């Protein structure tokens, strides 16, 4: 096996998979984000640390910040991507990273992965009106690499099962909200 | 009604709600994100335009860019937030913006909205191993404003129904993936 494939250290990847296979609890992660309202529809998110592979970790770049806003037509300032746009990018990034890691595990060199994601969503409920149609998401993925088309298609298919964001968005997950007004 | 509440132009907000009430198709939006693999687990997302309120719109800041990566313990470069962290921030930002807009519609001034979101997720499937437990998301929201605690709590409750990202994550939505290997 090559020491690196698709920019991923394949020896470390294989060691990680082996470690998790022998001790599955290492695959339990807890990701955390803090978010603060700025003004109007704007908010700022901070990402600092997470738990995984049996211990706490700090992200090596320190606090990473994400900005969100609503577009002007939704009475926002349009200073940053809308929350749904963040969600769509999370999906594309997760599918892409899952695909690239799966390819690296199989020793398939990729040369390009591009995706276009779109979401049809009815915002009636956002305006306090009765709920509209269920949202729908479409992903168009273009994948090039040193493998037959059928092999690349199988990789994309596999990346659905490997992507936690795809899992969350397609199957839905329980979300509890605790409120503190103190 | 005050001309502005929580940094939101309440006259425009009311006019928007009235317009949508009389013509519900104005609430149909299509959000779009393009994403490109960089190397390893890194990808870059672009957000440029969207459809809504009956027409196409360009975001006024031009292309907005979002970076994602995986942490080192997941064999990434840890150069940017992980896809799941992007998803969690999308949720916090959407709940916050829904809450602030609902408060503005009711003329309730808010002074602070902060949230901490965490997601327990088992990444066995990401490593090509049999799927682990269903992910769980918890949101802790701290809300302060010029209203009784019960009123603020009702606003947070309402923001669940108003938030399209909360809707997508809790109920799940169909995601189709089209593949192009050409």
């Amino acid at each position: 096996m090559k020491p690196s494939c698709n920019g991923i250290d394949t020896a470390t990847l294989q060691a990680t998979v082996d470690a998790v296979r022998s001790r599955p609890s290492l695959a339990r992660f807890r990701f955390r984000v803090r978010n603060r309202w700025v003004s109007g529809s704007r908010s700022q998110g901070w990402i600092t640390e997470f738990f995984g592979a049996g211990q706490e970790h700090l992200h090596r770049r320190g606090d990473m910040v994400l900005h969100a806003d609503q577009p002007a037509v939704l009475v926002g300032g349009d200073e940053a991507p809308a929350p749904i746009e963040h969600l769509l990018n999370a999906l594309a990034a997760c599918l892409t990273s899952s695909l690239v890691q799966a390819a690296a595990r199989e020793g398939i060199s990729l040369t390009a992965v591009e995706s276009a994601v779109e979401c049809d969503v009815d915002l009636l409920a956002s305006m306090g009106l009765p709920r509209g149609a269920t949202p729908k998401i479409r992903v168009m993925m273009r994948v090039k690499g040193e493998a037959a088309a059928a092999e690349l298609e199988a990789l994309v298919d596999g990346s659905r099962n490997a992507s936690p964001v795809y899992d969350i968005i397609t199957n839905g997950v329980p979300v509890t909200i605790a409120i503190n007004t103190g």
Side-chain angles (χ1 to χ4, degrees), chain A residues 41-115:
Chain A
S41 300
R42 280 181 72 190
S43 70
Q44 199 168 332
W46 283 266
I47 295 133
T48 308
E49 86 276 302
F50 63 98
F51 175 90
Q55 61 184 295
E56 289 289 335
H57 303 264
L58 287 170
H59 279 295
R60 71 178 184 84
R61 287 190 167 269
D63 280 10
M64 296 184 289
V65 175
L66 292 170
H67 302 273
D69 198 354
Q70 297 287 358
V73 72
L74 292 171
V75 204
D78 203 11
E79 293 284 345
I84 294 192
E85 292 167 333
H86 281 276
L87 175 101
L88 298 181
N89 188 60
L91 176 61
C94 197
L95 287 169
T96 298
S97 130
S98 300
L99 170 69
V100 170
Q101 290 220 1
R105 282 200 302 271
E106 299 187 21
I108 298 174
S109 288
L110 300 176
T111 50
V113 183
E114 287 166 21
S115 47

Side-chain angles (χ1 to χ4, degrees), chain A residues 175-182:
Chain A
V175 178
T176 58
I177 304 185
I179 308 166
N180 177 349
T181 56

